[in-house]
């Protein structure tokens, strides 16, 4: 959700909802009028965007559920929502009641196969790549590979070569197999420390160190012709930039990456992707666009399993209460305190 | 209640709630192996149909990777559908487990957290049992990013509606770390830019020295330093604004002017001793005038009973025991001699300032003192620095005493000088942030010039030309070894052995086979050189055991993988990684074909000899 969208969404909500949202976030929120409240919430959102968004969604959902709105007395009554099959399904939506185990376990199972439709952010990233470098920072398992494959396909259709790097040899090998299956074995080559196959293919997979060495050799005059036709460099797992030993290799690679080639950085969720994008913009001839989101494709639920085999939800809410680490499920809290009391030697302070 | 859930109970619980397949993250490899052992006699058999499916899948993988055929974990994998996956295993085993997991044959995998950052390996559920991980010998709390990497493995796209992250406690778990990790925003990442010797050589090969500052400025490190510098600049601007009312007055730089004036004024002050203080001679004596000391006065002698300060007196006072048991008070200035003689004296806080026995004894001893006593030589320190007369005299020249803005200056001076100090501090920090990378580069350049890889004009020397091709850790040590011709005439196994000890940076202990005398003396030479280079490069671990192990593998082509593993207590996966790292180092040495043909030949022979058995099987 962009800031503009968030602002619009906030503006559509009744002021009472905004006050509930502001509780615990904005100091003396009850003094503020609607416009001022939106302003303050947006200011706050810079600190914890994900938490604000997820709470907002919960509140909106509550308001739209037929019985839940306005009357706290009916909160606990079974409500039927179209989403949930069980009559108890609406319960976890409320912020006050803790979710029950059966509701928490609901929805387990295998979804029916669905035709693949690219997510909006994937399309956004691909179209941005037409005129800019792109940094993608999304949670694990969101489908970064799809973007990499499509981007590589488009570059190769343009008769440009593509280099794909990953930090680990094992990952390179996996990708080699995967890309060979997608593009055909002749189009894909691999260069790692001890494996060189199909080195003239238009799509080359290598470890980042190898690419760094290639770039150094090219810079010192031992020109590799292939760098002239290089159209796209994909750096997977770019969060390795912060690796204490190897991070420097990513920086060198990015600094020396030929200017005519587009850069595509794929990274897991990190705290400052905007910094990376700004950095790229500042050192390269093209601008760099950031594509990020923090919503997982498959939603996550957290549970607590006691050593005696009892399973309870970890948080009061069904999903993860982003920004509220203390919203523990009362049962989980009780069990864990019990556990700590039993395992910690007496007289020792709790860690 | 056991401190943590039993693995068998864990799997039972997960199966019961249909939370499989699951990845169980454990603290250590050892914990994973122990967990697997508990299933030896467990009654959790898979239905026969699934067992057969695993058999079929395993057979298919074994064709590609024969080394897993005899793996000791296979029976459990087959019967129960669980496996262990950690860095101690061979890559082929890990590939096999990943493949089985992907095809949905396994119910659970016990893994260490290294898995979270590695391969694409999703499951329906992840089980978190710890809140800290071992990082270079120490346990540190998981970061938010790490917790999210781990929980990111939960929920397979297209195969699950929801993913589950289940926390199960073990001793010393900190639930707050995990809840914060699950609900928080991942941390910002920071640049880890370091300037290595090969980087300097390669940069100087391709670019003239003047351009390099511009290249370094392009790094993310500099970008982040600039961000910090900008913050400081904002602060500096704020200080400038605060400084505005303290701008030029009668004199342009009134702060310095006032500072000097004020300083001189205070200095002059010390000249007129209005307060009590001793002359250097007296104060040098004071430490010796302790109870029990014999002193000479203008008339006769005395023994010091106490030293004290008295309000009306300029100097310190002494209480003395005089002949005939008289107790008198006198200022220290009346002491003419301090003798080299002391007696034991038990002090008391009231008159006569010592115990009665001491008093009697001292009176007795004072009477019996010989007529001549040695005088204690007391060194008198040179007095205070003579006051800078120039400043004192020029006090009259200062405009301040008669200046109209004197009261204002006096009032504002504290604030203004604090602000100015702040301003200077910020300016300095900004300067340092902007140029630190360049300075680090220059330091490296100086070292390389000292060792003769660069000319004084920062051109690459002949040695520099080939040294830039060694782009691995400990590059300076390796190039120095090559220049010292340490490897000349060394056969491939010795070369591989030494490079292995340079490459291996893990400190997990391992037992080792007998080390050959040739390798041992070569390692001694390497160690000596590494020590002498330690101001310029962190020395490697240089473990003899890994060197001996690799030497055996290279020199004895009949040695099988199993045989090699029996020679040491290292885990299979570690041996594999050791050999792979050694290969990497060897291939760098092999690149020196044109300048060091003999060495390169030796390296390429070693590479061929290493790549056999398990190492050949993997791509």
């Amino acid at each position: 959700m962009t800031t503009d969208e968030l602002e619009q969404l906030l503006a559509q909500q009744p002021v009472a909802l905004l006050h509930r949202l502001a509780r615990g976030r904005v100091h003396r929120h009850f003094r503020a009028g609607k416009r001022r409240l939106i302003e303050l919430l947006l200011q706050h959102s810079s600190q914890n965007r994900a938490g604000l968004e997820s709470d907002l969604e919960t509140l909106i959902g509550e308001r739209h559920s037929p019985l839940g709105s306005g009357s706290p007395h009916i909160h606990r009554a079974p409500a039927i929502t179209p989403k949930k099959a069980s009559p108890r399904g609406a319960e976890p939506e409320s912020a006050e009641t803790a979710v029950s185990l059966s509701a928490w376990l609901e929805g387990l199972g295998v979804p029916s196969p669905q035709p693949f439709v690219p997510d909006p952010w994937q399309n956004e990233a691909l179209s941005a790549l037409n005129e800019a470098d792109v940094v993608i920072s999304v949670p694990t398992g969101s489908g970064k590979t799809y973007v990499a494959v499509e981007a590589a396909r488009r570059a190769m259709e343009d008769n440009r070569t593509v280099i794909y790097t990953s930090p680990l040899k094992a990952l390179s090998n996996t990708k080699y197999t995967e890309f060979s299956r997608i593009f055909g074995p002749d189009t894909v080559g691999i260069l790692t420390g001890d494996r060189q196959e199909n080195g003239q293919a238009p799509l080359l997979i290598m470890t980042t160190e190898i690419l760094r060495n290639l770039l150094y050799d090219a810079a010192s005059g031992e020109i590799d012709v292939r760098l002239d036709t290089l159209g796209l460099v994909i750096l997977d797992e770019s969060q390795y930039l912060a690796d204490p030993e190897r991070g420097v290799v990513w920086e060198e690679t990015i600094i020396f990456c030929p200017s005519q080639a587009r850069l595509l950085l794929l990274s897991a969720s990190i705290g400052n992707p905007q910094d990376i994008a700004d950095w790229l913009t500042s050192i390269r001839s093209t601008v760099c666009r950031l594509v990020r989101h923090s919503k997982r494709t498959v939603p996550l639920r957290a549970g607590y399993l006691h050593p005696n085999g009892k399973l309870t939800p970890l948080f009061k809410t069904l999903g993860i209460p982003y920004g509220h680490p203390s919203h523990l499920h009362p049962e989980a809290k009780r069990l864990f305190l019990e556990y700590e009391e039993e395992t910690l030697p007496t007289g020792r302070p709790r860690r | 209640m056991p401190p943590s859930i039993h693995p068998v109970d864990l799997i039972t619980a997960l199966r019961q709630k249909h939370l499989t397949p699951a990845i169980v993250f454990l603290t250590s490899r050892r914990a994973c192996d122990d967990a697997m052992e508990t299933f030896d006699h467990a009654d959790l058999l898979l239905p026969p149909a699934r067992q057969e499916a695993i058999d079929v899948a395993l057979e298919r993988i074994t064709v590609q990777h024969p080394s897993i055929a005899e793996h000791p974990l296979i029976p459990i994998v087959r019967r129960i559908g669980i496996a262990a996956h950690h860095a101690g295993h061979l890559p082929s085993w890990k590939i096999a487990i990943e493949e089985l997991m992907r095809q949905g044959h396994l119910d659970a995998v016990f893994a260490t957290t290294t898995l979270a950052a590695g391969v694409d390996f999703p499951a329906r559920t992840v089980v978190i049992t710890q809140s800290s991980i071992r990082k270079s010998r120490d346990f540190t709390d998981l970061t938010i990013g790490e917790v999210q990497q781990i929980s990111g493995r939960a929920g397979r796209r297209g195969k699950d509606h929801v993913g589950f992250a289940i926390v199960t406690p073990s001793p010393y778990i900190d639930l707050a770390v995990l809840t914060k990790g699950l609900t928080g925003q991942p941390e910002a990442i920071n640049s880890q830019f370091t300037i290595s010797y090969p980087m300097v050589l390669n940069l100087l090969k391709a670019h003239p020295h003047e351009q390099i500052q511009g290249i370094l400025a392009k790094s993310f490190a500099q970008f982040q330093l600039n961000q910090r510098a900008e913050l400081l600049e904002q602060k500096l601007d704020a200080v400038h604004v605060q400084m505005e009312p303290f701008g030029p007055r009668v004199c342009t730089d009134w702060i310095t002017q006032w500072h000097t004036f004020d300083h001189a004024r205070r200095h002059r002050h010390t000249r007129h001793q209005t307060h009590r203080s001793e002359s250097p001679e007296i104060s040098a004596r004071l430490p010796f005038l302790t109870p029990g000391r014999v002193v000479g006065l203008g008339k006769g002698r005395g023994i010091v009973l106490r030293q004290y300060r008295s309000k009306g007196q300029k100097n310190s006072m002494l209480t003395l025991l005089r002949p005939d048991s008289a107790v008198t008070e006198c200022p220290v200035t009346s002491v003419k001699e301090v003798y080299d003689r002391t007696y034991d004296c038990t002090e008391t806080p009231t008159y006569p300032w010592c115990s009665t026995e001491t008093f009697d004894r001292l009176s007795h001893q004072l009477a019996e003192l010989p007529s001549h006593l040695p005088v204690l030589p007391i060194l008198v320190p040179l007095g205070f620095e003579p006051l800078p007369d120039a400043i004192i005299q020029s006090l009259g020249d200062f405009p301040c005493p008669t200046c109209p803005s004197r009261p204002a200056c006096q009032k504002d001076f504290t604030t203004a000088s604090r602000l100015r100090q702040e301003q200077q501090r910020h300016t300095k920090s900004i300067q340092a942030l902007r140029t630190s990378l360049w300075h680090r580069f220059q330091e490296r350049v100086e070292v390389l010039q000292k060792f003769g890889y660069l000319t004084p004009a920062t051109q690459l020397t002949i040695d520099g030309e080939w040294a830039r091709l060694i782009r691995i850790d400990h590059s300076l040590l390796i190039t120095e070894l090559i220049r010292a011709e340490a490897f000349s005439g060394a056969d491939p196994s010795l070369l591989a052995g030494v490079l292995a000890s340079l490459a291996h940076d893990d400190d997990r202990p391992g037992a080792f086979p007998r080390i050959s005398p040739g390798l041992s003396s070569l390692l001694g030479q390497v160690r000596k050189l590494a020590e002498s280079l330690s101001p310029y490069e962190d020395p490697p671990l240089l473990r003899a055991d890994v060197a001996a192990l690799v030497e055996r593998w290279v020199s004895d082509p009949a040695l099988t993988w199993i045989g090699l593993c029996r020679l040491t207590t290292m885990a299979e996966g570690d041996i594999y990684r050791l050999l792979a790292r050694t290969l990497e180092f060897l291939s760098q040495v092999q690149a020196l074909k044109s300048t060091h043909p003999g060495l390169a030949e030796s390296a390429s022979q070693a590479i061929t000899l290493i790549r056999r058995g398990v190492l050949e099987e993997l791509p």
Side-chain angles (χ1 to χ4, degrees):
Chain A
M1 210 184 295
T2 66
T3 309
D4 288 346
E5 279 167 18
L6 182 65
E7 189 176 352
Q8 272 177 17
L9 189 62
L10 285 173
Q12 286 160 13
Q13 305 311 320
V15 71
L17 189 145
L18 295 185
H19 278 299
R20 282 187 66 189
L21 188 64
R23 210 177 288 164
R25 289 194 164 86
V26 179
H27 185 57
R28 292 166 79 83
H29 61 87
F30 42 82
R31 299 278 300 256
K34 186 169 179 179
R35 191 182 295 172
R36 173 80 182 134
L37 201 53
I38 291 174
E39 206 173 283
L40 289 169
L41 280 170
L42 284 175
Q43 254 173 37
H44 172 84
S45 76
S46 62
Q47 289 162 29
N48 186 351
R49 188 63 174 269
L52 185 80
E53 280 175 18
S54 77
D55 276 9
L56 180 60
E57 270 164 34
T58 318
L59 285 172
I60 293 173
E62 229 169 81
R63 199 167 74 90
H64 290 305
S65 73
L67 293 171
S69 63
S71 44
H73 308 289
I74 328 177
H75 251 319
R76 261 150 243 211
I80 296 154
T81 52
K83 264 207 274 183
K84 296 283 184 300
S86 147
R88 298 172 68 181
E91 203 177 297
E93 295 287 333
S94 97
E96 278 78 22
T97 331
V99 67
S100 73
L101 180 64
S102 55
W104 184 79
L105 280 170
E106 209 170 90
L108 253 177
V110 181
S112 50
Q114 286 176 358
F116 177 78
V117 184
D119 289 343
W121 71 265
Q122 288 171 324
N123 286 331
E124 187 192 335
L126 283 170
S127 62
L129 205 55
N130 286 333
E131 71 267 7
D133 295 336
V134 174
V135 173
I136 294 180
S137 167
V138 293
T140 325
S142 310
K144 291 187 285 266
T145 311
Y146 169 79
V147 181
V149 168
E150 277 308 302
R153 190 198 305 282
R154 291 181 190 185
M156 286 195 290
E157 278 166 8
D158 266 5
N159 280 328
R160 292 265 170 189
T161 54
V162 180
I163 290 178
Y164 175 98
T165 79
S166 76
L168 303 166
K169 235 180 273 177
L171 264 180
S172 299
N173 286 325
T174 319
K175 289 291 175 210
Y176 180 51
T177 326
E178 192 180 337
F179 287 176
S180 298
R181 211 163 43 223
I182 298 172
F183 295 112
D186 295 339
T187 8
V188 189
I190 186 166
L191 299 174
T192 59
D194 46 26
R195 184 182 190 190
Q196 274 130 34
E197 276 169 42
N198 232 344
Q200 295 305 311
L203 171 55
L204 278 180
I205 293 160
M206 52 183 83
T207 47
T208 315
E209 272 84 356
I210 300 280
L211 176 57
R212 191 264 316 256
N213 289 350
L214 266 182
L215 292 173
Y216 266 139
D217 291 342
S220 57
E222 295 136 59
I223 289 262
D224 190 349
V225 194
R226 309 175 40 74
L227 288 184
D228 299 337
T229 57
L230 189 61
L232 176 66
V233 175
I234 305 170
L235 301 178
D236 202 355
E237 309 283 342
S238 308
Q239 72 274 13
Y240 261 76
L241 195 67
D243 187 89
E245 274 153 39
R246 299 174 58 199
V248 58
V249 179
W250 270 255
E251 287 193 41
E252 288 173 274
T253 308
I254 291 169
I255 296 170
F256 291 113
C257 184
S259 55
Q260 91 280 359
R262 290 256 177 278
L263 260 177
L264 173 58
L265 267 62
L266 309 176
S267 148
S269 285
I270 52 169
N272 54 346
Q274 189 64 53
D275 282 352
I276 310 271
D278 289 345
W279 168 50
L280 282 176
T281 306
S282 73
I283 64 166
R284 290 178 59 83
S285 47
T286 44
V287 288
C288 178
R289 288 271 305 277
L290 170 67
V291 175
R292 78 183 292 196
H293 73 94
S294 47
K295 199 163 174 286
R296 291 169 45 107
T297 325
V298 180
L300 183 70
R301 292 177 196 171
Y304 175 81
L305 181 65
H306 203 58
N308 66 11
K310 188 169 166 33
L311 182 69
T312 73
L314 180 61
F315 295 112
K316 305 203 268 209
T317 49
L318 182 64
I320 304 286
Y322 288 104
H324 299 287
S326 56
H327 284 190
L328 287 183
H329 195 278
E331 185 69 5
K333 206 184 218 165
R334 188 181 67 76
L335 286 173
F336 185 71
L337 279 179
E338 206 173 272
Y339 176 83
E340 278 207 317
E341 238 148 65
E342 279 178 40
T343 54
L344 280 186
T346 43
R348 277 249 306 269
R350 290 223 323 253
R351 242 164 55 83
Chain B
M1 190 181 65
S4 53
I5 193 164
H6 193 275
V8 176
D9 295 341
L10 174 65
I11 301 302
T12 318
L14 291 175
R15 278 194 187 164
Q16 216 175 34
K17 304 281 188 206
H18 305 286
L19 289 171
T20 55
I23 307 175
V24 184
F25 287 102
L26 297 175
T27 342
S28 61
R29 304 171 179 188
R30 179 71 185 279
C32 295
D33 294 337
D34 288 351
M36 287 302 284
E37 254 171 45
T38 58
F39 287 91
D40 274 348
H41 306 288
D43 188 25
L44 290 170
L45 300 189
L46 286 178
R50 281 192 59 192
Q51 292 197 18
E52 268 167 42
I54 293 180
D55 272 346
V56 174
L58 267 178
E59 256 165 50
R60 223 180 12 246
I61 301 167
T62 316
V63 175
Q64 269 183 313
H65 308 294
S67 59
I68 63 161
E70 299 289 310
H71 202 282
L73 287 180
I74 282 188
I76 295 184
V77 174
R78 204 174 261 163
R79 276 183 12 240
I80 307 178
I82 57 159
H85 180 296
H86 57 69
H89 292 297
L90 278 182
S92 52
W93 173 257
K94 293 196 271 184
I95 290 175
I97 297 306
E98 284 154 25
E99 192 54 40
L100 285 178
M101 194 75 170
R102 216 167 285 133
Q103 292 173 11
H105 293 307
L106 295 183
D107 270 356
V109 170
F110 290 92
T112 52
T113 34
T114 41
L115 180 71
V119 282
D120 184 21
F121 193 71
R124 173 172 291 167
T125 306
V126 295
V127 179
I128 308 174
T129 61
Q130 84 234 43
S131 60
S132 52
I133 50 169
R134 185 178 182 265
K135 268 183 203 157
S136 60
R137 290 183 173 194
D138 226 6
F139 278 89
T140 49
D141 279 347
L142 290 167
T143 63
I144 296 176
E146 282 162 343
V147 174
Q148 296 198 347
Q149 278 272 12
I150 291 172
S151 60
R153 301 285 152 205
R156 297 159 298 175
R157 201 184 173 142
K159 286 192 194 160
D160 289 313
H161 284 299
V162 272
F164 293 89
I166 292 180
V167 177
T168 183
S170 62
Y172 304 113
I173 196 171
D174 188 350
L175 198 60
V177 171
L178 295 176
T179 51
K180 212 176 106 205
L182 285 167
T183 58
Q185 289 261 27
E187 293 87 356
I189 62 172
N190 289 318
S191 169
Q192 303 288 338
F193 198 74
T194 46
I195 293 174
S196 61
Y197 294 113
M199 186 200 281
V200 173
L201 289 174
N202 280 300
L203 282 174
L204 284 171
K205 166 77 181 168
H207 308 274
H209 190 242
E210 319 73 82
Q211 278 181 20
I212 287 170
Q213 195 164 9
I215 293 172
L216 292 175
K218 283 176 151 191
S219 64
F220 188 50
Q222 189 61 57
F223 180 81
Q224 290 195 312
L225 289 177
N226 285 348
Q227 280 183 334
R228 279 166 58 194
E230 274 154 30
L231 273 184
L232 279 184
E233 269 164 10
Q234 282 171 15
K235 275 191 194 163
L236 190 61
D237 288 344
V239 172
H240 276 308
V241 173
Q242 285 176 331
M243 285 280 283
E244 258 162 33
F246 310 123
R249 295 191 174 166
V250 175
C251 23
T252 25
D253 192 3
W254 67 270
I255 300 177
T256 316
Q257 189 83 331
W258 181 267
H259 180 72
T260 328
F261 169 67
D262 199 42
H263 184 72
R265 213 168 43 142
R266 278 164 206 274
H267 222 128
R268 190 183 52 171
H269 228 68
T270 56
R271 218 177 194 193
H272 306 282
Q273 293 186 350
T274 51
H275 59 284
R276 189 174 52 196
S277 79
E278 280 88 11
S279 70
E281 292 81 14
I282 299 295
S283 50
R285 271 182 182 183
L286 281 179
F288 297 96
L289 297 173
T290 49
R293 169 76 63 187
V294 182
V295 293
L297 299 153
K299 202 174 162 194
R301 293 163 173 166
I303 295 179
V304 179
L305 291 180
R306 67 162 179 160
Q307 190 191 114
Y308 65 100
R309 284 272 193 181
S310 178
K311 218 172 183 179
Q313 298 288 333
K314 198 175 152 201
N315 291 105
S316 289
M317 299 291 289
L318 294 176
T319 304
L320 293 172
L321 174 68
R322 300 296 305 266
D324 302 329
S325 303
V327 176
T328 58
E329 320 277 330
C330 67
V332 277
T333 40
S334 51
V335 173
K336 296 287 179 265
E337 304 279 7
V338 182
Y339 295 116
D340 190 5
R341 175 75 60 103
T342 50
Y343 293 111
D344 287 337
C345 175
T346 318
E347 296 166 62
T348 53
T350 50
Y351 185 86
W353 319 111
C354 64
S355 62
T356 339
E357 303 90 72
T358 316
F359 191 81
D360 294 342
R361 187 167 42 82
L362 286 180
S363 325
H364 185 65
Q365 278 163 337
L366 183 62
E368 296 198 345
L369 274 174
S371 57
H372 183 75
L373 275 176
V375 174
L376 195 68
I378 293 177
L379 212 65
V380 180
L382 287 174
F384 300 108
E385 287 279 309
L387 295 171
D389 287 333
I391 290 186
I392 308 294
Q393 277 159 16
S394 68
L395 257 186
D397 304 341
F398 274 105
C400 298
T402 52
C403 176
S405 83
R406 175 178 171 162
C409 290
Q410 189 157 11
K411 184 168 140 270
D412 293 342
F413 175 69
T414 351
T415 327
S417 77
R418 182 181 54 78
L419 283 174
R420 199 161 68 167
Q421 272 170 19
E422 213 167 293
Q423 185 187 7
Q424 281 162 351
R425 209 177 55 233
H426 287 331
T427 319
K428 238 184 207 167
S429 317
I430 291 169
Q431 176 86 7
L433 287 172
R434 298 260 187 228
T435 56
S436 69
L437 271 188
W438 176 242
H439 283 306
R440 263 148 64 193
F441 180 81
Q442 290 289 47
E443 274 168 26
R444 298 278 170 179
V445 167
E446 275 159 31
V447 173
L448 286 170
Q449 281 171 339
K450 179 172 144 72
F451 282 96
Y453 293 100
L454 288 174
T455 62
T458 66
Q459 299 287 312
L460 271 66
T461 61
I462 302 167
D463 281 333
E465 285 288 342
W466 59 261
R468 78 185 172 89
L469 296 173
I470 306 285
R471 293 162 186 154
I472 32 182
D473 296 346
H474 311 298
S475 55
L476 186 63
L477 176 57
I478 293 173
T479 53
E480 280 299 295
L481 280 171
I482 294 174
R483 285 171 85 193
E485 305 204 327
F487 299 126
S488 69
D491 58 35
S493 59
L494 281 187
L495 178 64
V498 171
L499 287 183
S501 73
L502 288 170
H504 196 68
D505 51 8
D506 193 347
D507 54 2
R508 280 170 216 270
F512 58 94
R514 188 186 303 243
I515 186 163
S516 77
L519 182 59
S520 160
S521 76
L522 191 52
L523 271 181
Q525 203 182 332
V526 175
R527 191 163 292 131
K528 218 179 266 169
L529 190 59
E531 265 162 34
S532 71
L533 289 181
S534 57
Y536 314 108
E537 194 174 64
D538 287 339
L541 285 178
L542 281 177
R543 286 174 45 173
D545 56 342
V546 296
L549 203 64
V550 173
E551 189 201 15
R552 274 297 285 278
W553 179 248
V554 178
S555 63
D556 183 1
L559 187 65
T560 59
W561 181 256
I562 310 256
L564 182 71
C565 293
R566 286 222 184 95
L567 286 174
T568 171
T569 48
M570 277 167 80
E572 263 190 318
D574 288 331
I575 305 177
Y576 179 88
R577 238 187 332 280
L578 165 68
L579 289 172
R581 285 266 287 172
T582 311
L583 277 177
E584 211 175 290
F585 275 44
L586 280 168
S587 69
Q588 300 263 321
V589 175
Q590 197 190 3
L592 306 180
K593 267 193 285 284
S594 51
T595 50
H596 300 79
L599 184 65
E601 176 55 29
S602 186
S604 79
Q605 274 175 22
I607 290 174
T608 348
L609 286 166
I610 288 184
R611 288 185 63 85
R612 63 190 156 92
V614 175
L615 279 122
E616 206 178 23
E617 173 191 305
L618 283 159

